[in-house]
Amino acid sequence: MPGEQREISPTLTYDVLVVGAGFAGLYALHRLRGLGCSVRIFEAASDIGGTWFWNRYPGARCDIESMQYSYSFSEEIQQEWNWSEYYASQPEILRYIDFVADKLDLRASIQLNTRVTAAHFNEQTSQWEVSTDDGERYVTRFLVMATGCLSIPLEPSFPGLPEFSGEIYRTSDWPHEGIALQGKHVGLIGTGSSGVQIAPKLAEQARHLTVFQRTPHYSIPAHNRPLDPEYVRGWKENYKERRRAARQTRNSTLNDAGDRSGLEFTWEEREREFARRWEVTGGIGFIYAFPDVTVNDEVNGHASDFVRRRIASTVRDPANAAILTPQGYGIGGKRICVDTNYYETFNRQNVTLVDIRSDPIVQMTPRGIRTKSIEYALDVLVLAIGFDAMTGALTKVEITGRGGRTLRDHWKEGPRTYLGLSIAGFPNLFVITGPGSPSVFANMVTSIEQHVDWIADCISAMRDDERITIEATDEAEAAWFAHVNEVGSRTMLAKAGNSWYVGANVPGKPRVVMPYMGGAATYMEKIEGVARDNYSGFRFTR
Ligand code: NA7
């Protein structure tokens, strides 16, 4: 229990404890160990990899190009590793993570199969007391939450679910040995990025696939392809400059972004540009055609309408096309999806699409799913229903700061942080890519590196100055939270108001635009400026 007094062996005392062994935790371990700190990672899974360990469903793939969705801190690693495809598959990313962990000799400091359940800041000792699910307790000066933004899957609450006699799987926890779907009737609930990626694979393998869709998403063809050796060489020879240039963009990615407002072009010119991006380059870059695709109503309306027309011309059955067509919100209002043959999947004979807005799921039955009008018999149910994003992994741990205040309580009205890194009243606690930072709106690996570097530099500076604790002030946190909200309120995310970015997918979660939408480059300048300014907005104790 937090606060309970018990002797803790000095061998269980660390300078830094890191929670999570994904991209963030691994780099944190490497950097902090390099400072001479004693560091340990706790990881709930049976192996490293974080998101890429868990989300191993067929079709799982990153939608940022592999040459960029990788660590930049080591020239040796980025030269040595070879990606095979433009967008890397989940197994390849996991192999990459293993390669990095082995190369940097990280494994000895990682404790697997260990979930952190509670962390209590002891004001007398200025240390964190951390409890794990194996009943052990540890003491650490700094606690780094590298718990990821999409790591706590939503619990399904369909009535009658336990009565279903078939198999149930989640994309977020797919069996390592895979699943034999041949000859089976498979149902899929959820058509976000995971659902859009897995649906074509399920349709290829199963006897029949029934997709239960609540909200249609906008999805852009990936045009994934094997990597051309010339292209790879171009990157490897210029990695340094390109990484630097990427950090100067809004999302830490070089992506052929247009730099002139869509309003400066005629409708026909815009149309040609959208067509090029849909037909040739593909992927998320579609929305970077013009810088105002996600903020200006006219440009957004055009881009959204373009996708709607492409759905209509791809999906042969007009009734299916109508169901798949997003209405009532513009592109960018929910996470844009990137697919391979998603819309084409609905032209297959063995695929049925059910619009559960007009024919809602009433309950699960032993045989399958009963909607208001019909029962669908299923052997297998696949859930791709999403995550308690950005805050879930943090509030799941019983974190108590000064005065016994819990993080859950502190975030009752929304996830208040200073810079997405630090929380007032929770000294020496750092969050990597927390709410209030660009995180999921930028290249996550770059966001992670920036945060880890900032935290490592901060810890190093504190050591030099013999400072014991660092803590965001209430004023700095309040001002940053207001700024994040103000910037977020101008975007399609706020206008659509119906995505995990604003907490809309979790009943009772405060509706706040959680990522910082001011752009990764602006954000980076901001946090570097804070550090240069002797950590303005923070308070230290000695
Ligand atoms: P998402 O994007 O949150 O998608 C979840 C999907 O599940 C979405 O279509 C939801 O519909 C649907 N959903 C959730 N709950 C239900 C219920 N109760 N009934 C029917 N349908 C439901 O999660 P993903 O895993 O696809 O992607 C997460 C991120 O990972 C993604 O954005 C990338 O960044 C990578 P809704 O839209 O809420 O109506």
Side-chain angles (χ1 to χ4, degrees):
M1 281 294 293
E4 196 178 283
Q5 292 307 307
R6 206 182 83 189
E7 275 302 297
I8 295 191
S9 143
T11 59
L12 302 181
T13 300
Y14 294 90
D15 294 327
V16 190
L17 281 181
V18 177
V19 188
F23 270 103
L26 296 176
Y27 182 47
L29 169 59
H30 173 66
R31 266 304 311 264
L32 295 165
R33 212 174 53 175
L35 294 178
C37 296
S38 60
V39 189
R40 189 157 194 81
I41 294 188
F42 293 123
E43 167 56 61
S46 60
D47 209 342
I48 62 173
T51 283
W52 299 106
F53 171 86
W54 293 106
N55 291 270
R56 52 178 71 216
Y57 58 86
R61 192 176 286 287
C62 187
D63 54 14
I64 295 188
E65 67 159 314
S66 47
M67 296 309 294
Q68 302 198 57
Y69 189 83
S70 49
Y71 289 121
S72 67
F73 68 85
S74 158
E75 181 62 8
E76 197 180 329
I77 288 173
Q78 65 186 8
Q79 291 299 334
E80 219 173 287
W81 180 260
N82 289 310
W83 296 104
S84 68
E85 291 177 280
Y86 190 80
Y87 294 114
S89 67
Q90 173 272 336
E92 189 166 26
I93 298 174
L94 209 48
R95 284 200 294 279
Y96 168 77
I97 292 172
D98 277 337
F99 164 79
V100 174
D102 291 340
K103 187 154 183 81
L104 302 177
D105 198 15
L106 299 178
R107 286 184 190 273
S109 304
I110 304 170
Q111 187 170 322
L112 300 168
N113 299 305
T114 308
R115 183 175 286 282
V116 169
T117 52
H120 163 73
F121 183 72
N122 184 325
E123 293 188 69
Q124 268 76 55
T125 60
S126 292
Q127 288 184 313
W128 284 93
E129 295 165 1
V130 173
S131 310
T132 52
D133 61 355
D134 54 5
E136 202 51 84
R137 284 177 68 232
Y138 301 81
V139 164
T140 182
R141 178 132 167 250
F142 294 98
L143 181 61
V144 175
M145 301 301 285
T147 39
C149 292
L150 295 155
S151 38
I152 302 296
L154 286 191
E155 285 303 322
S157 57
F158 303 103
L161 192 60
E163 270 86 76
F164 176 58
S165 60
E167 304 155 57
I168 302 178
Y169 301 101
R170 301 184 195 207
T171 47
S172 53
D173 185 11
W174 200 257
H176 290 201
E177 61 283 7
I179 300 165
L181 296 170
Q182 285 70 20
K184 293 188 175 161
H185 286 258
V186 177
L188 168 66
I189 302 181
T191 54
S193 298
S194 306
V196 158
Q197 286 189 334
I198 198 175
K201 299 287 177 193
L202 295 175
E204 280 168 18
Q205 295 168 26
R207 175 153 174 220
H208 196 93
L209 171 67
T210 306
V211 177
F212 297 86
Q213 177 201 272
R214 188 163 69 181
T215 312
H217 286 59
Y218 290 89
S219 188
I220 310 295
H223 299 307
N224 189 31
R225 51 203 176 270
L227 273 175
D228 170 17
E230 274 310 303
Y231 182 79
V232 172
R233 191 167 314 124
W235 267 96
K236 288 198 172 180
E237 282 171 4
N238 298 287
Y239 245 138
K240 216 168 175 181
E241 303 88 86
R242 291 193 187 178
R243 296 280 201 188
R244 195 178 309 122
R247 281 173 187 240
Q248 267 139 37
T249 66
R250 281 187 63 77
N251 45 25
S252 316
T253 322
L254 289 184
N255 53 22
D256 181 25
D259 56 3
R260 284 169 58 201
S261 161
L263 297 174
E264 293 181 32
F265 298 88
T266 64
W267 188 92
E268 286 74 17
E269 287 168 332
R270 281 201 305 253
E271 182 76 4
R272 267 200 301 281
E273 184 57 14
F274 289 137
R276 183 181 77 81
R277 286 172 186 260
W278 180 278
E279 287 158 15
V280 184
T281 51
I284 289 179
F286 181 84
I287 55 167
Y288 302 134
F290 310 103
D292 44 4
V293 169
T294 56
V295 284
N296 178 277
D297 287 342
E298 184 182 332
V299 184
N300 185 262
H302 188 167
S304 308
D305 187 52
F306 179 94
V307 177
R308 292 186 190 115
R309 282 183 276 120
R310 289 299 168 126
I311 295 170
S313 62
T314 307
V315 180
R316 284 199 288 270
D317 174 1
N320 274 353
I323 295 170
L324 289 164
T325 302
Q327 301 288 359
Y329 76 99
I331 191 166
K334 284 166 94 74
R335 173 64 148 79
I336 191 171
C337 299
V338 174
D339 72 273
T340 299
N341 294 331
Y342 179 63
Y343 294 120
E344 291 81 353
T345 294
F346 297 93
N347 292 334
R348 295 175 64 111
Q349 293 300 314
N350 71 334
V351 175
T352 303
L353 176 63
V354 180
D355 175 14
I356 56 171
R357 282 245 187 255
S358 61
D359 189 15
I361 293 175
V362 176
Q363 69 172 113
M364 306 293 165
T365 66
R367 286 182 65 225
I369 294 182
R370 188 192 303 287
T371 65
K372 209 163 151 220
S373 68
I374 194 169
E375 183 180 23
Y376 295 88
L378 303 171
D379 304 305
V380 175
L381 175 60
V382 174
L383 298 173
I385 58 173
F387 300 85
D388 184 353
M390 301 199 73
T391 57
L394 296 161
T395 52
K396 197 176 158 101
V397 180
E398 187 70 34
I399 298 179
T400 27
R402 282 199 197 282
R405 183 168 170 79
T406 65
L407 183 61
R408 252 173 254 149
D409 199 36
H410 190 69
W411 281 1
K412 236 176 15 216
E413 312 295 329
R416 306 161 66 87
T417 66
Y418 182 40
L419 308 172
L421 268 166
S422 171
I423 304 156
F426 296 79
N428 288 2
L429 172 78
F430 292 112
V431 181
I432 300 182
T433 64
S437 73
S439 61
V440 287
F441 253 89
N443 179 345
M444 272 302 273
V445 185
T446 312
S447 297
I448 283 166
E449 288 184 323
Q450 288 172 342
H451 269 183
V452 169
D453 288 340
W454 192 96
I455 292 165
D457 291 346
C458 175
I459 289 177
S460 166
M462 283 175 70
R463 200 172 48 187
D464 293 348
D465 295 350
E466 295 178 1
R467 299 176 186 199
I468 304 290
T469 64
I470 177 171
E471 178 178 2
T473 65
D474 290 329
E475 299 73 36
E477 185 184 79
W480 183 252
F481 187 59
H483 177 58
V484 171
N485 276 305
E486 195 271 318
V487 176
S489 69
R490 287 185 248 134
T491 64
M492 282 296 151
L493 285 187
K495 288 182 194 162
N498 179 28
S499 66
W500 57 257
Y501 292 117
V502 300
N505 64 333
V506 180
K509 194 162 168 172
R511 293 282 180 108
V512 173
V513 176
M514 293 186 285
Y516 175 59
M517 300 296 289
T522 309
Y523 172 81
M524 191 58 200
E525 261 171 46
K526 176 81 193 165
I527 63 169
E528 282 177 349
V530 164
R532 267 196 312 273
D533 194 16
N534 199 14
Y535 295 93
S536 49
F538 288 95
R539 177 171 56 226
F540 292 91
T541 59
R542 284 180 193 276

